[in-house]
Amino acid sequence: MSTRLLATLAVGSIVLIAGCSAGGNDAKDDAPTNADSSPSVSKPKYTKFADFPGKDFVTTEPGLKLGVRVKPVDTRWAPELVGKPADAGKHYFAVYVAVTGELADRGVENVKLSYLRLKFKSSTGEKCGFGQSENCYYEAFPSSQLEELEKVSDGEWRNATWTESILGTNIERGETKIGVVGFSLPDTEKATSFELCGPTKEAMVDTDRFACVPVKTPDKNAG
């Protein structure tokens, strides 16, 4: 066999091998990697107290030296709350709140929020305030006296399973926890302006002197 023929066969073999190798690489490149096939999972977000929008107030329950800062973060009308159905002809005005210690450098023990009130002027003309006051002050029920404050991720407080606790909840230094308080209002109530209020060191009993912040009025047609 001639030298020229041998050289031609050798070149052909090299080209054939190179072509097969290139095809194999294409197949490998097209195969999905583990990173491509794994679904992305977003981590839950826990907003700190100061980063929630809106106003807050400091409330101190009778007998306690330290108070807590309370900030409303959401509201809704609810036919039941914490497994407790509202009476016939009524719904719960549920207020979800963020809670942290009054002082940034220390925690607070046995937080219950059992003295919070919902303040408003009734559209039905009901006189439910004290003395000559035209304001209604509804007591919280169920309240955090029965419900343990929890660490709940953003937007999940409506779906959270609230547990009962008669001992209250400890809040560590700098910690933010979420709670819910409900106010049983008649379905005929059409007030559109509400405030969440609580006792302070200066006003433990007189509700007209409680610290208050506005809360948004929930849509009765929403869940």
Side-chain angles (χ1 to χ4, degrees), residues 67-135:
V68 291
R69 296 173 64 188
V70 176
K71 182 183 294 186
V73 298
D74 192 14
T75 60
R76 72 177 178 119
W77 294 103
E80 69 174 26
L81 198 60
V82 196
K84 303 177 185 297
D87 294 337
K90 294 184 177 181
H91 272 68
Y92 287 117
F93 186 116
V95 182
Y96 298 87
V97 294
V99 184
T100 194
E102 175 184 3
L103 303 176
D105 63 348
R106 65 205 68 182
V108 186
E109 297 181 343
N110 301 324
V111 178
K112 296 180 181 179
L113 302 183
S114 52
Y115 289 87
L116 294 186
R117 299 290 186 268
L118 185 69
K119 174 185 175 182
F120 62 97
K121 291 183 179 180
S122 177
S123 63
T124 64
E126 179 184 7
K127 300 294 183 180
C128 49
F130 292 94
Q132 301 300 315
S133 173
E134 296 182 355
N135 294 316

Side-chain angles (χ1 to χ4, degrees), residues 85-203:
D87 294 337
K90 294 184 177 181
H91 272 68
Y92 287 117
F93 186 116
V95 182
Y96 298 87
V97 294
V99 184
T100 194
E102 175 184 3
L103 303 176
D105 63 348
R106 65 205 68 182
V108 186
E109 297 181 343
N110 301 324
V111 178
K112 296 180 181 179
L113 302 183
S114 52
Y115 289 87
L116 294 186
R117 299 290 186 268
L118 185 69
K119 174 185 175 182
F120 62 97
K121 291 183 179 180
S122 177
S123 63
T124 64
E126 179 184 7
K127 300 294 183 180
C128 49
F130 292 94
Q132 301 300 315
S133 173
E134 296 182 355
N135 294 316
C136 291
Y137 291 92
Y138 271 71
E139 296 184 7
F141 181 81
S143 73
S144 289
Q145 185 176 13
L146 299 176
E147 299 154 24
E148 186 174 355
L149 301 174
E150 299 284 356
K151 184 178 179 181
V152 183
S153 60
D154 292 0
E156 290 299 317
W157 37 75
R158 293 189 180 190
N159 303 320
T161 301
W162 300 98
T163 57
E164 295 187 357
S165 172
I166 62 175
L167 300 177
T169 306
N170 294 338
I171 297 180
E172 303 297 331
R173 179 180 63 181
E175 187 177 35
T176 300
K177 288 195 172 181
I178 303 294
V180 59
V181 287
F183 304 91
S184 182
L185 269 61
D187 293 340
T188 54
E189 181 57 64
K190 300 185 183 303
T192 57
S193 179
F194 297 87
E195 293 179 273
L196 184 68
C197 307
T200 66
K201 294 183 180 71
E202 297 74 23

